[in-house]
Structures are given as structure tokens and as C-alpha cells.
Amino acid sequence: MQHHHACGCGKPRASHTAAKPLCQVPQARPLTLSIQAATPVTADTAGCCCNSASSPGCDADAAEESDRRGRAYPFSWQIQGMDCPACARTVETAVRQVNGVTDARVLFSSEKLMVSADTDVQNAVEQAVKKAGFRLAAASSPSTSKTTSGWQHNRLLILLALLVAASTLLSRLAPVWGDRLFVVTTLTGLIPVARAAWQRLRSGSPFTIETLMTVASSGALLIGAHAEAAMVLVLFQLGEQLEGYAASRARSGVTRLMALRPESATRLQQGKRVEVSLAALQPGDVIEVAAGGRLPVDGRLLSTIASFDESALTGESLPVTRSSGETLPAGVTSVDRQVQLEVVSKPGESAIDRILQLIEEAETHRAPVERFIDRFSRLYTPLVMLLSLLVMVGVPLSGAGEWQPWIYKGLTLLLIGCPCALVISVPAAITSGLASAARQGALIKGGAAMERLSSLRCIAFDKTGTLTLGKPELTQILRFGASDEAAILALSAAVEQGATHPLASAIVAAAQARHLTLPEAHDQQVLAGRGIRARIAGRQVQLLTPTHAPGLTPAQTAQIAQREADGETLVVLLREDEVLGALALRDRLRDDAADAVQALKKLGIESLMLTGDNPRAAATIAHQLQIDYRASLLPADKVAAVRERSRQQPLAMVGDGINDAPAMKAATLGIAMGSGTDVALEAADAALTRNQLSHLAPMIVLARRTRRIIRQNIGIALGLKAIFLVTTLLGLTGLWLAVLADSGATALVTANALRLLRRRA
């Protein structure tokens, strides 16, 4: 029962034009900039909150002071040339060294560079990234792999392969000239690699694969292993191409979501059809979508009836029939006819935009295992380089071996120090898992949430709006005084008018259905967990739960108890201290609730219902679902119950209301119904976009698969490193096999992660 919008900005609810059915984390949205004309924007112009011109409730002086102290310039670019998260880390390191930059993040899943600065650092950032060996482009620019031909993209690899083949043939005919051609081949491949290593070194990243390749290839040339040096560079270039392909496949789930959004829309203006960009569409505009076309933005259906394919966003395999007035998310397809819709989302705030924002934002909420691997990889490469130096120098100096063989082994160990496969093993799996979940109707806010989701052993459900439809209907009015039923209902609806609780909506709807004239109510006040009160005609009128209603006689209490025993929820109407009557309402269980609970049980997950409703109504629902329950809980009681159970086992709280938000925060994991209040969605770690509890079990199965694949990937990456470390020291493997193993491991862990994008039956 909230009368102001949940974002906390102080604006009245009416000023927010449209509800947001999907998760949205409030944040200043960075402006996507072109390199040629990047323009800084103050962060306070992009957010919901304080703006003295548009929000009378805000304090202008405070806003001015906040602007003066916290002025920030957010920038965003598209990065080209990244093959793995190690490249992303190199870019971040380079940009963070720019004066004025307060934060820099590379979103590997969408290839974005996001920079916050306290001054205009556009040119400095562009130069820093260029020196690091990468390219920046406008956010709308296609990637290099899509705009260049296969020959141009792989010309160095092809050239080196031809030179190695020629060198091998020439060595059979003229060994001396063949060896010299191997040297030329090595230098041809080494120069661009050494240049890249120098760029990384200047940008603050000395321990990169380019550095390792430069040292190893140069060392091989010096000790006379010319053929192997050339072969190492060929395999390195091959590995780079494989990593680039693997990286693009790892991002495929995100790019497919981006592809769901058309580039333009047909807007109806004064009876004419005008093709406009998505940025030109505003709430209230009327657009037209042809049969087979996708919705470019969220819209309210104006046509009488139509069928839509929502599978790309919700996982629903069959077309869904929608009627006039229903709201549809961007990305769904009109199956059978041309439709007209009223735009309800602002530019950049459609369902697809919010999903993409969440997936990008998820990279800042990394899983503990991902953070550990990142820290470990930063130490791993320097340690291997130190070990390599000890092998090359220490063994010969100690007299335990000849210089050349041990220098060769040390150079081979250098290549084993490349952390690419290890670094990409976790984020590739998490990105694939998040994208797969989004396609199946669940949004998960990051790797940390994914990891906690995989460990759940109990799920606590709110009742109203979660296990039930949240659309109760008035079934009976009980008279306890002289007032008739119409008067009782009119007073109750007047108190509840403007409130958002499902019971309030049901009471107001019942009064409207009877065409009752409602008296004017003032000073409405929500009593958390107890009810609501207001003043009507100078007298205090309250709607309270029976347990908090004073003055009930034993007969009235018995009558209420009888209705509650039938599974109904009752609220008692009081005027001053006089009990006027009670309203009985009944909510219906969701069609998929029982199946969802059974599916969770098969996964070894217990279910528990936590509700503020009366024990009898709660018992009726719990009996139908065959689960445990706790009733008559205030919000603080829900938090206490969640904390107590969480100490025993990992627990998730599923809810949709403002009262559920504290319990969601207290749980191991908070899960919101997609149509829930903004407060609940913001407090949650995950959301069910289609309000279907049947998506819970598949979401948990996906999280467990993701955790299993992460472990497999780490095992593959570290296992291969360990094997080649031993075989190198024993003299069983050489330089080219070490490079092949590293590239193979990277491709293998990425391919393993991509299995998450395949939907299981």
C-alpha cells in the first residue's frame, strides 16, 4: 500500500508513466558515444532522482550541492579486437592509468568500455586504448569480424603457414637455405607479436601472452631452434583466431538478444506511416508492426486481438493470444496479423534493454570462484616466468645439465604460463548461463547470484501474488453493526483507494462494480502488516486484520474464524472504536504452483510458505501444495524466519510485494516475480519474467549445470597446465606442443561453456 513510487525519488506515482515488469536496477545510464564526437554528460541528468525542475519534492540546494561535489562524466565505447577476458583486463588497466578516470569497466559479454571520470577524458582514453593495441568504435559499429573478409582477417596466419610449408620443403632440398627461411618466417610472425607485447607493457600489463610468445620465440631463435620458433608463431596465430571465434560464440546469447530489437519502427503520425529510429519513440506514440515483425519497444496493444510468439524472451513455445489493452515486451513477434500499439517504454528502457543492462551489470557481481581465479591468474603468470628463469639458469649453473636443453625447457615453460584458458573458463560459463536463463524466462543478476542459486536447499514463498494469482475477489460482506453492506463497502473502498495491495484493489474493484459513490478520504496511512487507516468526514476509519482489530465480540470472532477456515482472508472495518463489519476475500492458487513445488522437491529442495495472512487461509493453501507454512507474519517476522532458516541451509525468498523486500535481502538469494513492485525487483537477485513458478526448477537446474561446467573448465585448464609442466621438465614435449595445448585448452573450455546455451528438454 504505497502511495509514492518505489524508486525513492519522491515523485508521485502518477509521474511514472509505465510500470516496469522486468528487473531494473536504478542507475545513471551512460551515454553511448562515438569516437569522433564524444560528449560528456553529467550523471545527475540521467537518473530518476533529484531534479529541482521536475521534482518538487526534491531539495534544490541539496541537488545543487550534490551536483557540485559529485559531477561525473560517463562515457561508453565499443571495443574491437578482444579475444578473451585477459584482453579486457589489459584495456581496464590502461584506461585506469589515465588522469581523471575514476572507474573503468570492460563488459566482455557486450564488448563495451564504460568509463567514469571527473573531467572530460575522451581523447586521453582513446589514446590509452590505442597504445594498448585495441580499437574503439561507436557503440553501434559492427565488430571487425563481421566487416572484414576471411583473407584480411587471417592474412598473417595464412602467410606464416605458407612460409612454414615453403621452409619445410626447402629444408629437404637445401637445408641451409631452408633454415634461413625459417628465420625469416619467425621474424615475420614475431614483429607484430613483439609490437603488441610492447604496447601492453607500456599500458601497464607486462605479463601477457604476447610477452610470453615474444620471449619464447626470441629465445628459440637464439638457441638455434628456428623451425620450432616459426611453428610456435603459426600455432599462436591459429590459437588467436580460435580464441576470437570462441569469444564471439560465448557472447552469442547476448548478441541474439540484441538482434531481437529492430533498428527502426513505423510510427503513425496524422494518419501517415513514418519510419523512425527507436530513439525517436516516446511513450504515447502509436506504432504499427506488420505480421511477422518484431516489436521494437514495449507497447500496449490497441488492436482488438492478436497472437504473438514470445519464445525468444520467455521460453513459451506456443504463440500467445493477447487482447486490446495488454502490455507486450519488445522483441516478441506478431504471428498472424498487422497490429497497432501504444508505446509505453522510453528509449533505452524496453524489456530487451533492461535484460541487456542486467547481463552487463551482472559482470560486476562476479562469483567468488571467478574472483579467486582472477586473483590466481595474476600471480600464476609471474610465478611461471620465475620458474622458467630458474630452469634456464639455475640447473646449468648447478652443473646438473647443459645450457641449451634447459634453456629450451625454460622457454617451453614460458608458454605454459599463458593464463588464457584459465581466465576464460569461468566468465564464458557464467555469460552463457545468464544468457540461457534470460531466454528461458529468468533474469539472474550476476555470477555471485548464479553460484548461490546452485546451492539452494530450501525456498520460502510469499503467498499473495506469488503462490496465488494475487487477484483476490470479494466473496461476502459481514455486517456487525447498523450499517448496510453498501455503506461498509463504500467506506472500505474509500480508505483503500490509491493503495496497491491486491486486497485493496479487489475491494475498490468490487465497489466500482456496484457503482457506489465513495466518500472522500484524507490522511491515508499504511500500517505495515496490520492494515490501513484514513479520516472520512472527520472520523478515523480503519481496515485491519482480525488479529489486530480491537472490540470484536466472541460471536463476531467465531463468524470470522469460520470464513477463515474455508480459506478466505478477512479484513475488519472500524470507525473510531465501532466495529462496522468485515469483508471476506478469496485468492486462487496459481495453476502451476503445485507442479512447481513438486519439481523443486525432485531436486531435493524444500518449500516453505511465509505469509501475513491468517493461519486458516494459509493452511488451506499449504495443504493444497503439501508444504510447511508460517502465518500472521509482519515484515519483521518474515525477516526473522528467513534468517533463522538460512542459518540451517541456503534459502531463497520468492515474493512480489514491498513487504517481501526485507526478507529477500535477508535470504541467501532473493527471487522476485516479474510483475512485482519495483522495490521487490530491485531487492531481488533474480526475477521470473513471466510470473511462472514453473521456471524456478529449470533455473536452479541451469545454475547447477553452470557450477558443474565451471568446475570442469577449471579442471581442464589447470590439468593440462600441470601435465605439460611435468612432460616439459621430463623432456617429452616441446615449444609447439605447449602452444597447441594452450590454444586447445582455450577452445575446449569455451566449447564446454557453450553447452549451456543448448536448451534441454
Side-chain angles (χ1 to χ4, degrees):
M1 298 181 184
Q2 189 81 347
H3 299 284
H4 289 83
H5 198 264
C7 76
C9 67
K11 295 182 181 180
R13 179 174 295 276
S15 69
H16 290 259
T17 57
K20 295 176 175 59
L22 301 177
C23 260
Q24 185 176 27
V25 181
Q27 58 181 336
R29 183 173 174 81
L31 182 64
T32 302
L33 305 171
S34 166
I35 288 184
Q36 293 79 8
T39 306
V41 181
T42 52
D44 60 335
T45 63
C48 160
C49 297
C50 244
N51 184 319
S52 58
S54 60
S55 304
C58 290
D59 181 45
D61 293 335
E64 183 180 351
E65 176 65 20
S66 174
D67 178 69
R68 190 164 52 246
R69 287 186 290 104
R71 186 177 295 275
Y73 295 86
F75 298 95
S76 176
W77 291 272
Q78 203 77 13
I79 308 176
Q80 296 178 347
M82 287 198 310
D83 294 324
C84 69
C87 299
R89 193 169 65 195
T90 298
V91 174
E92 285 181 353
T93 302
V95 174
R96 283 172 180 164
Q97 294 178 359
V98 174
N99 290 331
V101 171
T102 57
D103 185 40
R105 282 191 299 142
V106 172
L107 306 177
F108 181 69
S109 62
S110 55
E111 299 178 282
K112 272 187 183 178
L113 168 63
M114 300 177 67
V115 176
S116 296
D118 52 20
T119 184
D120 187 351
V121 295
Q122 174 208 347
N123 293 329
V125 168
E126 292 169 7
Q127 290 301 317
V129 174
K130 185 177 180 180
K131 286 181 180 179
F134 298 92
R135 301 177 300 280
L136 290 180
S140 59
S141 299
S143 64
T144 303
S145 60
K146 294 181 182 179
T147 58
T148 58
S149 66
W151 158 251
Q152 291 175 319
H153 196 58
N154 300 295
R155 58 183 180 272
L156 182 58
L157 172 61
I158 295 171
L159 176 61
L160 289 177
L162 292 174
L163 285 174
V164 166
S167 301
T168 303
L169 291 175
L170 187 58
S171 295
R172 296 180 180 276
L173 301 174
V176 174
W177 286 102
D179 188 61
R180 289 174 181 175
L181 188 55
F182 271 124
V183 174
V184 172
T185 302
T186 302
L187 293 175
T188 302
L190 182 58
I191 290 172
V193 176
R195 186 187 302 119
W198 174 243
Q199 290 173 329
R200 308 290 196 272
L201 180 64
R202 289 173 60 197
S203 65
S205 300
F207 303 111
T208 62
I209 179 59
E210 289 80 10
T211 302
L212 299 177
M213 289 301 307
T214 300
V215 174
S217 299
S218 301
L221 276 180
L222 292 175
I223 64 172
H226 302 157
E228 290 201 68
M231 193 63 186
V232 160
L233 289 167
V234 171
L235 291 174
F236 170 69
Q237 291 297 330
L238 176 62
E240 288 289 286
Q241 299 306 317
L242 288 175
E243 284 184 15
Y245 172 75
S248 65
R249 290 288 295 134
R251 292 187 288 257
S252 61
V254 177
T255 54
R256 274 198 291 266
L257 282 173
M258 296 175 70
L260 294 179
R261 182 177 47 195
E263 295 296 325
S264 60
T266 301
R267 183 170 63 189
L268 301 182
Q269 294 180 216
Q270 300 176 347
K272 297 181 180 180
R273 294 175 174 83
V274 181
E275 196 79 9
V276 298
S277 67
L278 300 192
L281 293 177
Q282 295 293 333
D285 288 348
V286 177
I287 61 173
E288 191 172 76
V289 178
R294 291 191 183 277
L295 271 63
V297 292
D298 297 351
R300 185 177 294 109
L301 185 63
L302 299 179
S303 303
T304 306
I305 194 170
S307 296
F308 293 88
D309 179 2
E310 303 179 2
S311 59
L313 280 178
T314 65
E316 177 63 54
S317 58
L318 298 176
V320 179
T321 301
R322 300 295 184 186
S323 304
S324 178
E326 292 193 63
T327 300
L328 297 160
V332 305
T333 303
S334 177
V335 175
D336 55 354
R337 66 194 67 189
Q338 180 175 279
V339 294
Q340 292 185 359
L341 304 103
E342 177 189 349
V343 177
V344 299
S345 62
K346 295 180 180 179
E349 295 184 5
S350 70
I352 294 176
D353 290 316
R354 293 196 292 276
I355 291 174
L356 292 172
Q357 287 171 25
L358 278 176
I359 293 177
E360 290 179 353
E361 193 69 23
E363 295 194 29
T364 64
H365 304 291
R366 297 186 299 169
V369 64
E370 187 176 1
R371 292 194 295 268
F372 170 76
I373 290 297
D374 186 55
R375 291 194 299 268
F376 176 77
S377 64
R378 290 174 187 266
L379 296 174
Y380 172 78
T381 302
L383 287 176
V384 171
M385 291 184 74
L386 179 60
L387 176 62
S388 173
L389 181 62
L390 291 175
V391 168
M392 286 189 286
V393 177
V395 176
L397 284 178
S398 66
E402 297 294 329
W403 280 95
Q404 184 165 337
W406 284 99
I407 289 176
Y408 181 85
K409 291 179 180 180
L411 294 174
T412 305
L413 286 179
L414 274 181
L415 301 181
I416 297 174
C418 173
C420 289
L422 185 61
V423 170
I424 203 174
S425 61
V426 179
I430 289 176
T431 300
S432 298
L434 295 176
S436 181
R439 283 163 38 198
Q440 294 178 32
L443 299 180
I444 303 172
K445 298 182 183 178
M450 180 79 77
E451 187 167 310
R452 294 197 300 273
L453 183 63
S454 68
S455 65
L456 292 181
R457 289 294 175 268
C458 181
I459 293 184
F461 294 92
D462 172 53
K463 183 178 80 69
T464 305
T466 302
L467 289 174
T468 63
L469 291 174
K471 297 179 180 178
E473 297 178 351
L474 182 67
T475 57
Q476 188 175 357
I477 299 175
L478 307 180
R479 296 172 53 202
F480 294 153
S483 300
D484 59 21
E485 290 187 3
I488 292 172
L489 181 56
L491 281 174
S492 301
V495 174
E496 294 281 20
Q497 195 165 30
T500 59
H501 193 280
L503 295 181
S505 301
I507 293 171
V508 173
Q512 292 174 343
R514 301 187 187 192
H515 305 290
L516 299 180
T517 301
L518 306 185
E520 189 172 354
H522 303 278
D523 302 327
Q524 288 169 300
Q525 182 183 1
V526 175
L527 307 173
R530 293 180 291 164
I532 188 171
R533 66 186 172 201
R535 298 196 71 81
I536 297 177
R539 305 175 71 180
Q540 180 174 272
V541 179
Q542 300 183 87
L543 271 176
L544 302 173
T545 62
T547 54
H548 295 94
L552 291 173
T553 66
Q556 292 168 351
T557 302
Q559 194 173 356
I560 289 173
Q562 178 60 45
R563 306 300 305 180
E564 290 180 338
D566 294 335
E568 294 179 333
T569 299
L570 279 88
V571 289
V572 179
L573 178 68
L574 298 94
R575 183 167 56 195
E576 300 296 351
D577 295 327
E578 179 187 4
V579 179
L580 301 182
L583 287 77
L585 302 101
R586 184 188 295 273
D587 199 358
R588 187 163 60 86
L589 195 66
R590 286 184 182 273
D591 294 336
D592 62 342
D595 291 338
V597 169
Q598 288 302 312
L600 292 172
K601 188 174 182 180
K602 291 179 180 178
L603 295 176
I605 296 175
E606 301 175 23
S607 295
L608 169 70
M609 183 172 69
L610 303 177
T611 178
D613 209 344
N614 68 81
R616 293 181 181 86
T620 300
I621 297 295
H623 177 72
Q624 294 179 45
L625 297 174
Q626 299 181 346
I627 61 174
D628 195 8
Y629 72 94
R630 292 184 61 178
S632 301
L633 299 178
L634 297 173
D637 299 328
K638 286 187 179 182
V639 171
V642 165
R643 284 177 176 166
E644 178 186 355
R645 195 65 174 260
S646 295
R647 284 194 287 267
Q648 303 171 14
Q649 55 190 167
L651 173 139
M653 176 70 195
V654 184
D656 73 322
I658 293 173
N659 289 346
D660 300 322
M664 289 181 186
K665 282 292 187 184
T668 306
L669 188 84
I671 303 174
M673 304 298 287
S675 63
T677 64
D678 287 352
V679 173
L681 290 170
E682 291 160 16
D685 301 292
L688 303 175
T689 60
R690 295 192 69 241
N691 291 322
Q692 289 193 352
L693 293 174
S694 57
H695 286 172
L696 267 176
M699 183 168 66
I700 294 171
V701 169
L702 178 63
R704 291 179 178 180
R705 285 185 63 209
T706 302
R707 180 181 62 182
R708 188 164 58 248
I709 283 177
I710 286 173
R711 290 176 176 176
Q712 292 170 359
N713 282 353
I714 293 173
I716 291 170
L718 291 180
L720 285 175
K721 298 288 185 187
I723 291 172
F724 276 85
L725 176 66
V726 173
T727 56
T728 296
L729 292 176
L730 294 176
L732 300 176
T733 53
L735 287 171
W736 68 275
L737 274 178
V739 177
L740 184 62
D742 180 73
S743 301
T746 301
L748 194 58
V749 298
T750 305
N752 195 35
L754 294 177
R755 293 193 297 125
L756 291 166
L757 293 174
R758 296 202 303 267
R759 183 175 299 178
R760 288 188 169 182

